[in-house]
Amino acid sequence: MKFLRLLLLFVFVQVNAQQGGMWIPSLLKGMNENEMKNLGMKITAEQIYSINKSSLKDAVPQFDGGCTAEVISDKGLILTNHHCGFDAIQNHSSVDHDYLTNGFWAYKMEDELPNKGMVVTFVIRIEDVTTKVMEGVAAISAEVDKQKKIQENISNLTKTLPKEAWQENSIRTFYDGNQYLLFVTETYKDIRLVGAPPSSIGKFGSDTDNWVWPRHTGDFSMFRIYADKNNRPAEYSADNVPYKPKYFFPISIKGVKENDFTMVMGYPGRTQEYLPSYAVDQIVNTLNPAKIEVRDAALKVQDGFMRKDNAIKIQYASKYAGVANYWKKWIGETKGLKKSNAIGVKQKFEKDFLEKVNKAGKQSEYGSLLSDFEKNYNDIKDYALARDLFTEIALRNTEILTLGYKLYQLEQIYNNKGEQSFNDRRNTLINGLGDFYKDFNPAVDQKVFEQLIGIYVKRYPKPFLPSFFENVNPEVLANDVFTKSQLVTYDKIKVLLTGDSKTVLENINKDNGFKVIKAMADGYLKNVAPRYDEINLKNIATQRTYMKAILELSPKSARIFPDANSTLRVTYGKVKGYKPNDGVIYEPFTYLDGVMEKYIPGDYEFDVPKKLIDLYNTKDYGMYGSNGKMPLAFIATNHTTGGNSGSPALDANGNLIGLNFDRVWEGTMSDIYYSPEICRNIMVDLRYVLFIVDKFAGAQNLIKEMKIITAEKKK
Ligand code: ARG
Ligand code: ASP
């Protein structure tokens, strides 16, 4: 009995401890291969990343800078999320061809739609260049100069390290400046839209369901990479041909079970897993609440208008979704950090850390790191709060102030660089503003302005509040700005920006809207930014040494992964449900049935296309169904973050089974503290993707390109 308990405990620790982390593909062999195999992986590290043979990494490009995609045919067909292709789909849409509402499918290659500026980037190889980057740095004493030297080295190496003419070099830092890796990449520039489901499938559940499990979103779209005749990157040309990949993923429709091994490859953007407790405390108790309060107010105003007026709904839909995405994330993150006692966990880690420092006799090197952090984070608190409030209020959420800030920069450009630069910037500014005003509604923004200036006056640390805002009444100020400022319409701002630099600068300085942003920006740049930067630089240096110490003092077996930095990573775990709250258990799978449960006819988030309802009613799932049901999404313990959207989820054999697109609400804290108990990534089941392409859209031309692995026939 006792033995059994011990054995169970051992199994539990095995399964639960070894999860989380975003690992470097070129280092899996030494660091992770055994663990991955223990978790059930049946392929080798060499099959995932190799520079000699084609490997899985050759099928995982970064998609258009911010997302991930995967190659799924030998004709360069790629799969990513609907929300990653959203802008492209929107750009091709008009009243006559509303692809957002109705979906888009190219039934022949000639029908595929080019996307100006869209790129995908493949990693060719990864090399450690730490020694080269650090050359001559140790001899320098001041932190600022060290950083300068590092930047100089990086820029020289980027230019001189060997690569082919059509490739790029880029060097990125890992472990907070303790390691530098070179990435040699190839960037394809002719990417065409192949298919997208209607938003009622691709964005089903919209903001209400965003960051939430159980989920029923078919969040996918398809593109194709085109290359020149030599299969090399080329700008768009009608003569380009479909790209022949080094590798593409077979798709398995055999289905997954709870506890099956799964891994995700992709380009996670940013995590901060090694912050000290003081920093996490600041995020939980000061910075997140402030940012949430600002966005909460802005979103409430916009939502009120959007619900009453369809034109405003269209104008603000994309902006609203963008703002709401991180608003909702920060709320989940804050809750999760509190509930999991992340600060307490960090404090315990820090206590152990200090003991290790003492044991190793490294007091003089590492003994003061934590007290340095404590002091730095204390010192920076008000500056950091002011910075976040300024950014959220002026630069992100009050449109007229964001626009005003562009004029503020125009003035700075004149002051620093003179007339010619002023003219260039003015012209690009005017040209770019058409798009801004198309989706700008002054009535909405006036209310946002009033609310957010109210928060600014109340929450901005008093010593830094510009005198302009003493005794200001936000409602009166808003009214004054929106009746008098020239920034309110495109026609007026064009007039305002006409003339020589002297006239323009004189006139904008008389503008009531400009005066507001100028007071905010001047105050920020004079009273906040310099000191913030100064303390922040200390924190960066302390963090680098702290990271070095953690790496040095941890046992060899410790799983210490570098924070995300938008480079290619591998994360792995198991398909698994979780317990969000006392008395509640979430299963790891959802089905099409759930779409019908959530269905609200005519609703902008939960409407369902008639054809999908018909397919559900007739259970016409073809080979994609399972036991009479249509699998839709699933969750697992893969450690992902923003940028992992569109990432391939693979089974133990490296076959494609899912398409990553989100995380669960209770686990959004994983950017700061990953807990295998509640952190889960959300994937669309590839069976649902294929069902939509095949049965819903009738695009068998695409299905035929793919390599589909079906369940073995039982004899
Ligand atoms: N939360 C997901 C991610 O961070 C999906 C965002 C897109 N969906 C939305 N409703 N805004 O990208
Ligand atoms: N939805 C995110 C993305 O777009 C993924 C995540 O944050 O989990 O990358």
Side-chain angles (χ1 to χ4, degrees), residues 371-529:
S371 50
D372 288 350
F373 270 136
E374 184 174 14
K375 177 171 182 338
N376 287 343
Y377 278 101
N378 247 327
D379 289 350
I380 208 170
K381 187 170 166 190
D382 280 356
Y383 297 92
L385 174 63
R387 181 174 186 263
D388 274 357
L389 285 171
F390 174 70
T391 310
E392 283 295 314
I393 292 171
L395 305 187
R396 295 229 175 100
N397 292 298
T398 314
E399 294 169 274
I400 200 169
L401 296 177
T402 311
L403 173 65
Y405 191 72
K406 296 206 167 112
L407 302 189
Y408 183 80
Q409 289 173 313
L410 184 66
E411 187 176 44
Q412 308 256 304
I413 283 175
Y414 175 75
N415 292 340
N416 298 329
K417 296 190 180 156
E419 188 81 26
Q420 184 57 44
S421 305
F422 170 90
N423 275 323
D424 293 347
R425 173 62 72 100
R426 183 225 340 243
N427 295 341
T428 31
L429 191 59
I430 294 179
N431 288 335
L433 286 179
D435 280 350
F436 171 83
Y437 284 101
K438 183 168 76 65
D439 289 338
F440 176 69
N441 184 305
V444 177
D445 200 44
Q446 177 171 343
K447 277 281 164 227
V448 171
F449 180 102
E450 181 187 319
Q451 293 295 318
L452 300 203
I453 289 296
I455 295 174
Y456 179 72
V457 172
K458 212 163 45 195
R459 298 268 184 255
Y460 206 68
K462 283 288 161 302
F464 312 142
L465 190 72
S467 54
F468 182 97
F469 294 94
E470 275 164 25
N471 308 318
V472 84
N473 175 326
E475 191 182 347
V476 175
L477 182 65
N479 200 29
D480 182 63
V481 166
F482 282 82
T483 47
K484 294 188 190 135
S485 171
Q486 311 266 96
L487 308 190
V488 177
T489 70
Y490 197 16
D491 288 340
K492 284 188 184 161
I493 198 169
K494 277 195 264 189
V495 175
L496 183 68
L497 291 174
T498 306
D500 59 18
S501 58
K502 187 164 168 285
T503 320
V504 171
L505 292 181
E506 247 171 53
N507 286 338
I508 60 178
N509 274 287
K510 283 186 216 143
D511 186 273
N512 289 42
F514 184 75
K515 282 182 191 162
V516 179
I517 184 66
K518 186 161 180 164
M520 291 173 93
D522 274 348
Y524 174 75
L525 293 173
K526 196 162 140 266
N527 301 324
V528 178

Side-chain angles (χ1 to χ4, degrees), residues 83 203 206-207 210-211 321 325-326 645 661-662:
H83 78 261
K203 205 176 162 24
S206 192
D207 289 308
N210 192 19
W211 300 110
N325 192 32
Y326 266 64
S645 277
F661 71 102
D662 209 356

Side-chain angles (χ1 to χ4, degrees), residues 67 81-84 202-212 215 217 219 317-318 320-326 328-329 605 641-645 661-663 668:
C67 284
N81 288 145
H82 186 264
H83 78 261
C84 297
K203 205 176 162 24
F204 181 75
S206 192
D207 289 308
T208 300
D209 270 12
N210 192 19
W211 300 110
V212 166
R215 192 64 158 277
T217 314
D219 196 345
S318 175
Y320 185 94
V323 173
N325 192 32
Y326 266 64
K328 199 165 175 182
K329 192 218 149 185
E605 296 190 305
T641 187
N644 268 123
S645 277
F661 71 102
D662 209 356
R663 279 170 285 165
T668 48

Side-chain angles (χ1 to χ4, degrees), residues 1 25 74 156 158-159 204 348 434 465-466 548 586 596 647:
M1 185 65 199
D74 65 354
N156 288 336
T158 307
K159 280 182 219 135
F204 181 75
K348 163 92 174 57
L465 190 72
K548 175 168 176 272
Y586 279 153
M596 299 312 297
S647 294

Side-chain angles (χ1 to χ4, degrees), residues 162-216:
K163 65 165 185 69
E164 303 295 341
W166 62 89
Q167 299 177 332
E168 309 90 32
N169 278 341
S170 73
I171 294 174
R172 313 301 291 269
T173 175
F174 291 73
Y175 295 109
D176 298 313
N178 285 285
Q179 186 183 29
Y180 289 86
L181 298 182
L182 165 75
F183 290 80
V184 180
T185 56
E186 286 178 5
T187 299
Y188 285 81
K189 302 179 180 109
D190 184 353
I191 314 299
R192 304 186 196 168
L193 177 62
V194 174
S199 294
S200 50
I201 291 173
K203 205 176 162 24
F204 181 75
S206 192
D207 289 308
T208 300
D209 270 12
N210 192 19
W211 300 110
V212 166
W213 183 255
R215 192 64 158 277
H216 299 89

